[in-house]
Amino acid sequence: MGYAIVQTLNALSFSALLLLTGLGLSVVLSLMNFVNLAHGGFYLLGSYVAVLWLGSGAPWWLAFPAAFLAAALAGAALERFPLRRFYARPQLMQVLLTYGLSVILAELMRWGFGAQILAPELPAALRGVVFLFDMPFPVYRLFLIGMGGALGLLLWLLLDRTLWGAVLRAAVADRGIVETLGIDTRRLFALVLALSAGLGGLSGALGAGMLAAYPGLDAEVLLLALITVVVGGLGSFGGTVAGALAVGFALTFSKVWLPEFANAAAFAAMAAFLVLRPQGLIAPPLRRL
């Protein structure tokens, strides 16, 4: 009983990390129809910022806002040039551009932070374990589950229950009409991309305590985020949540049951699912005219 609960919580903690990473990617992909393969670079940047911050002796809880701000500023700078020029270009050109940017970001971070694996020095409040039915479980992973759920809810409220979210959805549907109301859609899309990058950095800061930070992690996380968004269903907040849970539980329990073939088994199951249900777990409703 205790072992099953611990593994379920492990899956939930990994799903919470995938949720935040996937939401950051989905915001731009779904709302702006822009493919940003540099998202993994923002995640890795947030991880490095958290590692350095937690080792500096500064208040530990500020590491997460600092990572969000650092990645958001990097995203805002890239949005001004060159990303803005590619919003209306074919998606293949967006893929080539952002993949090139991801390689540049990865090399810059390798040069700046080194090639070794860096693990954060967790504060005393997040170290240690709790016992569930005599089975130990890390406190940090409980913290990750709580933060993932709270931040996911906050983002849903921002995009679905505020005037800013309504304006954003209207701008995606008909940019020209929104501009006639005096709204600067260029600034609006710049804020969206900065928010997406910031979420990537924040998820990297939270994930550093579980996955550490090292060169190549950006590509691994990007692949998982893309699978999460596609499995869940493009353009659906609920789909991203469902995709994060599906991918998180599949990878976690495949490592428990089939440790030697864990990744192959999990990804094969996801590929088979997409063949049977290409629209994802929760497809957004289509408007019929």
Side-chain angles (χ1 to χ4, degrees):
M1 181 65 178
Y3 182 75
I5 292 176
V6 165
Q7 294 303 329
T8 299
L9 289 175
N10 279 328
L12 282 175
S13 63
F14 190 41
S15 297
L17 183 59
L18 291 176
L19 172 62
L20 293 177
T21 312
L23 285 175
L25 183 65
S26 178
V27 163
V28 170
L29 185 60
S30 301
L31 296 180
M32 296 171 57
N33 198 31
F34 184 78
V35 182
N36 182 17
L37 296 187
H39 191 70
F42 299 135
Y43 176 98
L44 187 55
L45 176 61
S47 294
Y48 280 127
V49 169
V51 169
L52 295 179
W53 190 282
L54 291 173
S56 68
W60 66 268
W61 54 272
L62 288 177
F64 307 112
F68 177 90
L69 183 60
L73 289 175
L78 290 175
E79 194 279 335
R80 290 188 64 85
F81 182 82
L83 298 183
R84 181 179 295 180
R85 299 171 181 265
F86 282 75
Y87 287 160
R89 303 283 183 91
Q91 289 188 336
L92 178 59
M93 296 183 68
Q94 297 172 3
V95 167
L96 292 174
L97 171 70
T98 55
Y99 177 75
L101 288 175
S102 71
V103 173
I104 294 172
L105 288 173
E107 289 303 313
L108 286 175
M109 284 185 281
R110 183 191 294 268
W111 172 72
F113 300 106
Q116 66 273 23
I117 298 175
L118 300 179
E121 183 180 347
L122 295 178
L126 300 180
R127 289 199 295 265
V129 297
V130 295
F131 285 89
L132 305 171
F133 295 95
D134 296 328
M135 294 289 292
F137 188 77
V139 172
Y140 187 81
R141 296 204 174 199
L142 290 176
F143 170 74
L144 187 57
I145 293 171
M147 286 293 292
L151 291 172
L153 177 61
L154 182 62
L155 185 62
W156 174 74
L157 291 174
L158 176 65
L159 295 177
D160 278 25
R161 293 293 185 270
T162 65
L163 180 60
W164 185 81
V167 170
L168 175 60
R169 294 193 301 275
V172 173
D174 196 326
R175 184 172 180 175
I177 292 295
V178 172
E179 288 179 343
T180 62
L181 301 176
I183 297 173
D184 187 350
T185 55
R186 288 195 307 174
R187 180 176 297 178
L188 184 65
F189 288 151
L191 288 173
V192 171
L193 201 138
L195 174 64
S196 170
L199 284 172
L202 179 58
S203 58
L206 290 168
M210 183 167 66
L211 302 178
Y214 54 87
L217 179 61
D218 52 336
E220 298 174 17
V221 168
L222 175 64
L223 175 61
L224 291 174
L226 285 170
I227 293 173
T228 297
V229 172
V230 173
V231 167
L234 292 175
S236 168
F237 183 92
T240 305
V241 175
L245 290 171
V247 175
F249 273 77
L251 287 175
T252 299
F253 281 95
S254 64
K255 291 178 181 178
V256 174
W257 295 328
L258 298 168
E260 296 181 355
F261 307 98
N263 290 337
F267 288 127
M270 294 172 201
F273 168 79
L274 289 176
V275 170
L276 297 174
R277 191 177 176 85
Q279 73 273 23
L281 285 169
I282 303 178
L286 297 178
R287 184 178 299 173
R288 298 183 179 274
L289 298 178

